[in-house]
């Protein structure tokens, strides 16, 4: 991710010229420092919710510095593909290989088979420079969380590596073009990429985030900046204002953006445009903001930013992997501080000697070493894949518990057309009469396993209307990023219409009710009282509408949230020698956690709905909501039932099929 410009061993500002060249500019290293620090704070969950824009800052810096380097080589008639890629290999690969090898060793002792298997896959992908594609394909609601992927941050390296393959080839085509013509072409390509980014953010957020076509405009912005003609006579006041505005734009994005921001798309203009303004204005003259970022300690963080970026995420992942909780902020700060000596050592002992040609002095040795290292990593990653994550490291019982994360029966969202109308799925005997319709979010999908078994045993058929993070409530707009958002209103209305038209006799509502205050668009306010009133109103309207459509309404209370990742917690219990049966959340704690939502659902019994309580089939006599039974995980994560766990609820749903 980090820009790969040449660095001086000293950190004194060099004299600037009016044209974009490779005179050392300490303020750009200072900008790197800002970028890497906000990324690290974001990853450590230290309240910098928009810190992910630091990656975009790096993209613009990289595009600028690499293009400046290429144009200078072309101008001096020194440019060659081999020379360009040799420099990239010297800069990128040495520390990357060391970090990957360290991660492999640590993962052998710490990662469960599925997570080690994912690590092997990410290593194979990085060896082929497509880790961004790998993580894009592995993304999704039921994918393993980011916190168990030690090399997830390599996606940005892959974006840059792919760009470094294409840019020099384009430079060969453009080498005889006028600078203004180059700028025009970069502008056209950037606008196309920007349009793709806006489109992808709306329809496929993961591809917009991970893939080069929707990220390329950020790098091309830097390319265009390096292709600008020299600007003479720009007033110093103007440069001061633009420099300050650029830095403020970056910090504004860090402060104002969060995980719900539609990003990259148009939102990325703020940090990327701010970066471009800062670089351009400080290329004309020395500004106050530029001098601020040229402070030696800040510059040094920028100098080691590449190593710092590579090390910090594996450190965070491995130290929290078995803790299964978010550490207190002081501990997270200490972890980030511990990354500094790692970064300094790898910069001093690995980066600098190889980049300065004190090691691997000849191009041939660089290419041979790179090929050997990447091939070795490719082989290791493939072996991990073929051995199912080296699962022989653990006993059969540990593996059975860990495999609970894969015990997910019904995964697919109900199809939705452009207008938001649901396209229903049917389970059970296709020739049997429809006994019920199950309607809800991912918790409803997790419950389908029990309904499917009952359908087979009792001869009925069930219709499924379920979409991740989308509440089965009329006039409710779910705001979670994987939900239907604005289309959720039309989706839910189409479900009620279906019940009326098909005369469905029973409708079962299942959802993560306790998450309602955090995942919906509030009507009248965001305080607890207003949201509880909204929940009561929307649930009541839904129950009445279904009853008027001729259906009997059944509502299942939320299953206990175990807080920890259950398959991992059970495996951990076996590894460290304590009783897996002790893993679970006390029933009283579960009830206290969802008091407002539970009370509203209980009120629906007065409206004729049947309220179902799953806890009596999941809690033991001591009042512990169990996480395991008979050596199997009852959950696939912290609060979605596994297929095995869902089947424990078959007696709960039997009255629906037998009434």
């Amino acid at each position: 991710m980090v820009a790969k410009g040449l660095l001086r061993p000293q950190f004194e500002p060099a004299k600037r010229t009016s044209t974009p060249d490779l005179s050392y500019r300490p303020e750009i290293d200072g900008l790197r420092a800002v970028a890497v620090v906000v990324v690290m704070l974001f990853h450590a969950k230290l309240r910098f919710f928009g810190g992910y824009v630091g990656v975009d800052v790096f993209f613009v810096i990289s595009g600028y510095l690499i293009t400046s380097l290429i144009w200078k080589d072309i101008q001096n008639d020194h440019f060659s593909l081999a020379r360009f890629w040799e420099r990239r290999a010297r800069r990128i690969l040495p520390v990357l290989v060391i970090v990957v090898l360290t991660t492999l060793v640590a993962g052998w002792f710490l990662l469960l088979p599925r997570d080690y298997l994912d690590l092997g896959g990410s290593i194979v992908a990085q060896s082929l420079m497509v880790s961004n594609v790998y993580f894009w394909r592995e993304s999704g609601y039921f994918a393993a969380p980011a916190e168990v992927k030690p090399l997830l941050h390599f996606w940005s390296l892959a974006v840059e590596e792919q760009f470094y393959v294409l840019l020099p080839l384009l430079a060969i085509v453009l080498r005889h073009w006028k600078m203004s013509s180059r700028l025009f072409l970069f502008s056209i390509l950037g606008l196309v990429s920007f349009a793709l980014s806006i489109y992808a953010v709306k329809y496929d957020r993961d591809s917009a985030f991970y893939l080069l076509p929707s990220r390329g405009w950020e790098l091309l912005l830097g390319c265009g900046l390096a292709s600008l003609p020299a600007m003479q006579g720009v007033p110093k006041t103007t440069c001061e204002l633009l420099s300050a505005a650029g830095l403020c734009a970056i910090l504004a994005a860090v402060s104002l953006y969060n995980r719900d921001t539609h990003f990259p798309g148009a939102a990325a203009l703020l940090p990327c445009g701010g970066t471009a303004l800062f670089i351009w204005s400080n290329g004309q003259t020395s500004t106050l903001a530029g001098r601020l970022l040229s402070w030696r300690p800040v510059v040094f963080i920028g100098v080691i930013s590449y190593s710092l970026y590579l090390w910090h995420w594996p450190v965070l992942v491995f130290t929290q992997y078995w803790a299964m909780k978010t550490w207190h902020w002081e501990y997270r700060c200490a972890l980030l501080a511990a990354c500094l000596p790692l970064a300094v050592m790898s910069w001093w002992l690995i980066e600098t000697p190889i980049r300065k040609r004190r090691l691997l002095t000849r191009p041939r040795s660089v290419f041979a070493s790179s090929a050997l290292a990447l091939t070795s990593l490719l082989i290791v990653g493939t072996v991990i894949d073929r051995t199912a994550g080296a699962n022989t490291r653990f006993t059969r019982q540990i593996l059975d518990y860990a495999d609970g994360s894969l015990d997910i029966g019904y995964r697919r969202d109900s199809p939705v057309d452009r207008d938001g109308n649901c396209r229903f799925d049917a389970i059970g005997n296709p020739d049997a009469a429809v006994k019920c319709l199950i309607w809800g979010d991912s918790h409803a999908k997790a419950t389908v396993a029990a309904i499917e078994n009952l359908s087979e045993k009792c001869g009925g058929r069930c219709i499924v209307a379920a979409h991740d993070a989308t509440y089965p409530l009329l006039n409710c707009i779910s705001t979670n990023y994987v939900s239907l958002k604005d289309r959720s209103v039309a989706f839910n209305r189409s479900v009620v219409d279906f019940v009326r038209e098909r005369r469905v006799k029973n409708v079962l509502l299942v959802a993560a009710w306790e998450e309602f205050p955090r995942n919906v668009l509030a009507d009248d306010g965001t305080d607890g009282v207003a949201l509880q009133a909204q929940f009561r109103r929307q649930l009541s309207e839904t129950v009445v509408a279904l009853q008027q459509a001729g259906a009997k309404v059944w509502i299942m209370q939320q299953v206990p949230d175990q807080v920890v990742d259950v398959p991992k917690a059970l495996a951990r219990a076996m590894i460290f020698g304590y009783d897996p049966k002790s893993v679970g959340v006390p029933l009283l704690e579960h009830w206290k956690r969802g008091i407002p939502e539970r009370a509203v659902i209980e009120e629906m019994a007065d409206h004729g709905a049947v309220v179902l309580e799953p806890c009596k089939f999941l809690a033991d006599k001591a009042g512990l909501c169990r996480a395991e039974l008979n050596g199997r995980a009852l959950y696939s994560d912290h609060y979605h039932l596994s297929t095995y766990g869902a089947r424990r609820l078959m007696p709960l749903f039997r009255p629906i099929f037998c009434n």
Side-chain angles (χ1 to χ4, degrees):
M1 177 181 85
V2 181
K4 318 297 188 297
L6 299 175
L7 299 172
R8 288 185 171 190
Q10 308 94 351
F11 304 122
E12 297 291 344
K15 183 179 179 180
R16 290 169 173 77
T17 62
S18 60
T19 58
D21 59 19
L22 289 184
S23 295
Y24 178 64
R25 295 178 54 180
E27 79 280 357
I28 292 183
D29 270 331
L31 195 59
R32 283 182 175 138
V34 171
V36 76
V37 167
V38 297
V39 168
M40 292 170 64
L41 292 173
F42 168 71
H43 284 161
K45 299 179 180 179
L46 290 170
R47 300 193 63 80
F48 282 73
F49 302 120
Y52 53 80
V53 304
V55 174
D56 305 84
V57 173
F58 279 126
F59 283 161
V60 178
I61 293 174
S62 290
Y64 172 76
L65 291 177
I66 296 304
T67 306
S68 297
L69 177 68
I70 289 175
W71 290 158
K72 184 173 184 179
D73 282 351
I74 288 175
Q75 184 179 2
N76 295 331
D77 201 26
H78 289 159
F79 180 74
S80 73
L81 291 176
R83 187 164 176 261
F84 175 84
W85 286 326
E86 179 209 345
R87 284 195 297 237
R88 295 306 94 221
R90 285 184 182 278
R91 175 61 169 154
I92 297 172
L93 289 180
V95 179
L96 182 148
V97 170
I98 295 300
V99 170
V100 170
L101 291 175
T102 304
T103 303
L104 273 170
V105 173
W108 177 270
F109 295 102
L110 294 174
L111 295 181
L112 291 170
R114 183 192 178 192
D115 299 323
Y116 203 57
L117 178 65
D118 286 343
L119 175 61
S122 64
I123 289 173
V124 170
Q126 181 57 40
S127 302
L128 301 174
M129 297 192 300
V130 291
S131 62
N132 59 326
V133 178
Y134 174 81
F135 290 119
W136 166 60
R137 291 173 61 89
E138 292 294 311
S139 61
Y141 192 62
F142 283 106
E147 289 78 5
V148 301
K149 297 178 179 180
L151 301 183
L152 177 62
H153 60 321
F154 278 23
W155 74 268
S156 60
L157 293 181
V159 170
E160 289 204 4
E161 289 165 347
Q162 292 157 16
F163 187 75
Y164 294 156
V165 170
L166 298 175
L167 181 62
L169 299 177
L170 181 62
I172 292 175
V173 175
L174 303 181
R175 64 192 308 164
H176 299 302
W177 288 31
K178 295 180 180 179
M179 193 67 78
S180 58
S181 300
R182 297 172 184 169
L183 180 60
F184 177 76
L185 180 61
F186 284 138
S187 299
I188 295 299
L189 293 175
L191 287 173
V192 172
S193 173
F194 182 60
L196 285 173
S197 183
I198 293 176
Y199 178 85
V201 162
K202 184 175 182 179
Y203 295 105
D204 188 353
R205 187 172 174 179
D206 289 330
S207 68
F209 187 85
Y210 285 112
L211 301 185
L212 178 62
S214 53
R215 287 287 192 169
W217 69 272
E218 302 176 19
L219 291 141
L220 287 166
L221 179 60
C223 297
L225 188 64
S227 302
L228 283 173
M231 301 292 288
Q232 301 292 339
V234 180
K236 181 174 176 58
T237 303
T238 301
C239 291
E240 289 283 0
L241 290 174
L242 292 178
S243 177
L247 186 57
C248 287
I250 296 169
L251 297 178
V254 172
S255 302
L256 300 176
Y257 291 178
N258 55 44
R259 292 181 182 272
D260 294 325
T261 302
H262 291 193
F263 199 88
L269 280 174
L270 188 61
C272 292
T275 303
L277 279 179
F278 181 86
I279 293 173
W280 181 84
S281 57
N282 283 277
Q284 312 306 313
T285 185
S286 175
T287 70
L288 178 61
R291 291 193 296 274
L292 178 65
L293 295 192
S294 297
W295 187 39
R296 288 189 178 186
V298 177
V299 169
F300 184 69
I301 296 299
V303 170
I304 65 171
S305 59
Y306 179 61
S307 286
L308 197 55
Y309 178 75
L310 291 189
W311 282 113
H312 86 280
W313 183 244
V315 168
L316 289 175
V317 168
F318 283 126
T319 52
Q320 297 187 60
Y321 184 81
W322 282 117
M324 295 182 293
K325 65 179 180 180
T326 301
W327 293 105
H328 199 265
W329 70 269
E330 292 98 334
Y331 186 85
R332 284 173 277 150
C333 288
L335 286 176
L336 294 185
C339 296
L340 282 172
L342 277 175
V344 171
M345 285 190 294
S346 60
W347 167 75
W348 181 36
L349 299 175
I350 302 169
E351 276 191 72
T352 302
I354 293 177
R355 185 170 46 79
K356 295 294 185 182
R357 301 177 186 273
R358 294 197 288 269
L359 294 175
L360 302 177
T361 56
R362 296 182 179 181
R364 182 178 299 177
S365 62
V366 173
F367 288 122
S369 300
S370 300
L372 178 61
L374 293 177
T375 301
S376 300
L377 293 179
L378 182 64
I379 292 171
V380 171
T382 303
V383 170
I384 293 173
D385 178 72
R386 293 291 184 269
T387 57
N391 59 8
T392 55
R393 294 173 292 148
F394 301 105
T395 66
R396 183 68 260 169
Q397 183 59 73
I398 293 173
L399 296 178
D400 286 343
Y401 281 138
D403 285 345
S405 62
L406 304 175
D407 190 19
I408 306 172
Y410 191 92
R411 295 172 180 260
R412 57 187 178 276
D413 287 324
S414 297
V416 183
D417 64 21
R418 290 186 176 181
D419 296 326
N421 296 312
C422 179
R423 295 291 178 261
F424 303 88
D425 192 10
I427 58 175
N429 185 348
D431 298 323
V434 174
K435 285 284 188 178
C436 78
L437 181 146
I438 182 169
W439 179 16
D441 57 9
S442 57
H443 285 242
K445 294 195 295 185
T447 308
V448 165
I451 301 296
E452 188 172 23
N453 270 28
L454 282 170
S455 296
E456 294 172 356
K457 291 184 178 182
C458 301
R461 186 158 53 106
C462 182
I463 304 297
V464 179
H467 195 286
D468 288 340
T470 301
Y471 283 95
L473 300 171
L474 290 176
N475 303 313
C476 177
I477 299 178
S478 302
T479 58
N480 189 290
Y481 81 96
V482 294
S483 71
L484 287 171
K485 299 183 184 296
D486 294 339
R487 293 193 295 167
S488 58
V489 173
F491 177 86
N492 290 333
R493 176 56 61 185
S494 70
V495 176
V496 176
D497 291 341
F498 179 88
V499 171
R500 180 184 300 106
E501 293 167 5
R502 300 298 180 90
R503 298 181 180 179
V504 179
K505 295 182 179 180
N506 298 283
V507 176
L508 172 62
L509 306 182
V510 181
W513 306 114
E514 295 173 12
E515 303 294 321
F516 182 88
R518 292 179 288 276
N519 288 329
V520 300
L521 182 66
D523 289 343
D524 304 317
T526 57
D527 63 283
V529 175
L531 285 169
Q532 185 178 356
Q534 178 179 331
F535 180 48
R536 178 182 290 106
R537 183 180 67 256
Q538 291 175 341
L539 183 56
S540 178
E541 290 173 354
T542 304
V543 170
V544 170
L546 290 171
Q547 290 171 337
Q548 291 176 347
K552 183 174 182 178
V553 182
W554 308 70
I555 309 174
M556 189 179 86
Q557 295 277 18
Q558 182 174 329
V559 299
D561 184 347
Q562 297 288 352
V563 182
V564 298
D565 184 297
V566 167
K568 187 190 300 181
L570 295 173
R572 181 178 185 266
M574 288 292 296
I575 291 171
F576 290 101
Y578 59 87
D579 189 2
K581 295 178 181 179
S582 65
V583 177
V585 61
L587 185 58
L588 289 177
E589 181 181 326
H590 162 62
W591 281 342
K592 289 178 181 179
R593 192 182 297 142
I595 285 177
E597 293 75 30
R598 291 184 62 84
V600 170
I601 291 173
E602 292 294 342
E603 290 175 16
M604 294 304 108
D606 297 332
H607 293 273
V610 180
V611 178
L612 303 175
E613 178 54 74
C615 288
K616 60 183 179 181
F617 297 99
L618 299 173
D620 60 19
K621 295 180 180 179
L624 181 71
C625 297
R626 294 277 296 276
E628 73 86 46
L629 185 68
N630 300 327
R632 299 279 299 276
L634 296 175
Y635 292 74
S636 61
D637 53 24
H638 67 99
Y639 72 158
H640 289 100
L641 291 175
S642 63
T643 298
Y644 181 75
R647 287 172 181 159
R648 289 281 299 167
L649 302 184
M650 286 174 59
L652 183 68
F653 303 130
R654 191 175 299 277
I656 298 176
F657 288 83
C658 300
N659 63 358

